[in-house]
Every structure is written in structure tokens, then in C-alpha cells.
């Protein structure tokens, strides 16, 4: 059966997350699989590089699917986009890949961005797409705190109690803060890169760093929280709506051509 890789963009607001839900709740995976049924009747199960939570968005999710028909890749993406309407899900590209390519297991890197907006007035156009806080934040203090988190660490403190990963030890390759002008305030974007992440790791890190930016924590407290290896030492877990899966890296990028 021909195998295809799909690069997928979606607004996670109306979904209960990426993964198909047994209770019948709407999921991104379910929406794409339902579109595939319109093209080829029967059961379809697609695999994704990352199982994003409810309310989390993506600009560069990757999934693989096996189809009976040898589709032209462009026609496949066009047909899927037609049948995905009006769901806020878009197939940016479809490409034919080798039979041993797997969206999840072939990946060597995941990239996430978290958008935080600081301003007093409620956000309008970005509502549901950013985390808004009202009081000013010290981005340099947050950068100082973030520096303790890069490298190989036991991230138990920043791991959900429901995390199913075999080990809390992960390597965080990069965490970079970008400040941008925003009408009436400021936007801070957190860019994180790693081979893989623990459940709620990014949101736990951002929520903790926000406490540093607000002046409630000293930057050094982030190091102490990490070394505690205790979930109770973590700062508040921030809400999901500012989080985006922005890219997935592979030894040979199937979308490079």
C-alpha cells in the first residue's frame, strides 16, 4: 500500500486534542480520517508525530497514512482539504514516502512555539490563540531562568502526573525567548526544540517562567525546581491555547523538495 506523509495545520480550539477519542469527542485525527474515508471507503488509522492536547494548535504537524490507491500527492492534498471543510484543519502538503517512514518513530526533533501576550485590554483577533496576562513581564529574567533548563535533565518537575513516557530524562536542545511589539502591550514567544517532550512539559516550563517574569520567582528558583525532581515544585501550568507544534525534523525531510 502506498504510504503518504501529510503536513497539517490546524486550530485546536474546537478539538479535544489530536488523538481520536473513544467517547466520540471531536479530534483532529478523527477529522482527517473521516476525510480519508470519503476518498477510500474503509477504516483508516493515521499516525502523527505529536499527540497535541485539547486546545493546542499546529502549523507543522506531520502524519502518515497508507492508502490503497496510488494518488498524485497534490491531488490527494486538494481532495482532503475539500472534504475537511469546514473544520479548521488544512493539509499543507502531501508527499509519497518510503514504506518504512513513520511520522512519529522516524522523527528526530519536535519544535514548539508558545505565544504569550502581555496587555491590559482583552485580546480580540488572537483570542483562543495566545495566553494573555495583564501585568508587565521581565523577559530578560525569564531568559535567565530558561537557561537552567537546556541540556540533559530529569524533568520530573515539569512532567504531568499522567505522562506515559518511560523516563523523565530528556534533552532540551533549545529554549529561546523572542519579544515582539503587540498593540497595547508586548508579545513574548517561547521557542523550544527537542527530540521529544514529556506530557505538559512545554506548558509547565512556560508557566514557571511566567512567574519569573512577573517577579514572583527569582531566575535561580527555576534551577532549584528542576533539581527538586518533584511535580509540586513546578510553577502553574499555563493554558493550552498559546501552544503551537510548529515543526518536526527527520533525517531526510520528506517535504524538502
Amino acid at each position: 500500500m502506498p504510504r503518504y506523509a501529510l503536513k497539517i495545520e490546524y486550530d485546536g480550539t474546537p478539538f479535544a486534542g489530536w488523538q481520536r477519542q473513544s467517547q466520540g469527542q471531536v479530534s483532529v485525527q478523527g477529522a482527517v480520517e473521516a476525510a480519508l474515508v470519503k476518498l477510500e471507503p474503509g477504516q483508516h488509522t493515521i499516525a502523527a508525530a505529536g499527540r497535541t492536547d485539547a486546545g493546542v494548535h499546529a502549523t507543522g504537524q506531520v502524519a502518515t497514512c497508507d492508502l490503497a490507491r496510488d494518488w498524485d500527492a497534490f491531488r490527494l492534498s486538494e481532495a482532503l482539504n475539500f472534504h475537511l471543510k469546514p473544520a479548521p484543519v488544512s493539509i499543507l502538503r502531501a508527499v509519497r514516502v518510503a514504506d518504512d517512514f513513520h511520522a512519529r518513530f522516524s522523527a528526530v526533533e519536535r519544535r514548539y512555539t508558545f505565544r504569550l501576550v502581555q496587555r491590559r485590554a482583552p485580546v480580540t483577533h488572537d483570542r483562543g490563540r495566545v495566553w494573555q496576562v495583564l501585568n508587565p513581564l521581565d523577559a530578560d529574567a525569564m531568559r535567565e531562568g530558561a537557561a537552567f533548563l537546556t541540556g540533559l535533565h530529569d524533568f520530573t518537575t515539569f512532567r504531568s502526573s499522567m505522562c506515559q513516557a518511560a523516563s523523565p530524562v530528556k534533552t532540551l536542545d533549545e529554549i529561546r525567548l523572542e519579544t515582539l511589539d503587540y498593540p497595547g502591550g508586548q508579545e513574548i514567544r517561547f521557542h523550544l526544540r527537542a527530540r521529544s517532550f514529556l506530557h505538559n512539559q512545554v506548558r509547565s516550563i512556560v508557566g514557571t517562567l511566567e512567574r519569573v517574569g512577573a517577579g514572583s520567582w527569582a531566575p535561580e528558583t527555576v534551577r532549584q525546581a528542576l533539581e527538586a525532581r518533584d511535580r509540586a515544585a513546578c510553577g502553574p501550568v499555563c493554558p493550552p491555547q498559546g501552544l503551537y507544534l510548529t515543526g518536526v525534523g527527520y533525517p531526510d525531510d520528506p517535504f524538502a523538495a
Side-chain angles (χ1 to χ4, degrees):
M1 299 177 71
R3 177 164 292 186
Y4 295 87
L6 310 174
K7 180 176 283 190
I8 308 174
E9 175 184 273
Y10 51 85
D11 176 352
T13 305
F15 297 106
W18 165 267
Q19 193 167 4
R20 189 193 319 112
Q21 304 293 309
S22 58
Q23 298 85 358
Q25 295 174 294
V26 180
S27 68
V28 183
Q29 180 183 7
V32 178
E33 289 174 351
L36 286 167
V37 170
K38 299 289 183 63
L39 305 184
E40 291 188 359
Q43 184 175 355
H44 292 272
T45 301
I46 61 177
R51 297 177 179 177
T52 53
D53 289 337
V56 175
H57 316 293
T59 59
Q61 173 72 280
V62 177
T64 41
C65 62
D66 295 327
L67 299 175
R69 176 179 164 185
D70 190 1
W71 284 82
D72 173 79
F74 175 74
R75 289 176 62 85
L76 175 60
S77 63
E78 291 286 288
L80 285 173
N81 283 329
F82 177 82
H83 290 296
L84 279 164
K85 298 175 184 177
V89 182
S90 179
I91 308 301
L92 300 178
R93 282 196 66 189
V95 294
R96 178 76 180 270
V97 292
D99 292 346
D100 61 352
F101 178 85
H102 192 282
R104 178 184 175 191
F105 298 120
S106 300
V108 295
E109 179 180 275
R110 276 89 173 167
R111 298 182 294 276
Y112 283 91
T113 293
F114 193 98
R115 297 181 61 198
L116 186 158
V117 167
Q118 180 277 308
R119 81 173 189 181
R120 298 294 302 179
V123 296
T124 52
H125 298 292
D126 280 325
R127 186 166 62 178
R129 294 174 177 83
V130 299
W131 176 30
Q132 181 181 5
V133 299
L134 302 182
N135 297 315
L137 299 172
D138 185 338
D140 288 334
M142 287 191 283
R143 290 188 180 98
E144 187 178 343
F148 294 111
L149 301 175
T150 56
L152 177 67
H153 300 289
D154 181 328
F155 281 99
T156 295
T157 298
F158 301 95
R159 177 191 195 188
S160 165
S161 60
M162 298 183 295
C163 182
Q164 298 178 354
S167 170
V169 177
K170 296 287 182 182
T171 298
L172 182 59
D173 294 308
E174 179 184 32
I175 176 168
R176 176 172 56 88
L177 275 68
E178 176 186 16
T179 56
L180 303 166
D181 291 334
Y182 196 90
Q186 181 184 54
E187 178 175 349
I188 301 174
R189 293 186 182 179
F190 301 77
H191 303 285
L192 296 93
R193 180 171 55 86
R195 184 180 185 95
S196 61
F197 290 86
L198 300 165
H199 187 214
N200 277 358
Q201 183 179 355
V202 175
R203 289 168 56 198
S204 298
I205 288 173
V206 173
T208 296
L209 293 177
E210 188 274 339
R211 293 290 77 205
V212 174
S216 299
W217 285 34
E220 175 70 17
T221 309
V222 178
R223 180 187 62 79
Q224 296 168 358
L226 176 68
E227 293 177 351
R229 299 177 184 146
D230 181 356
R231 183 65 176 167
C234 185
V237 178
C238 65
Q241 65 263 22
L243 183 57
Y244 298 74
L245 173 58
T246 57
V248 185
Y250 297 96
D252 295 304
D253 184 358
F255 304 103

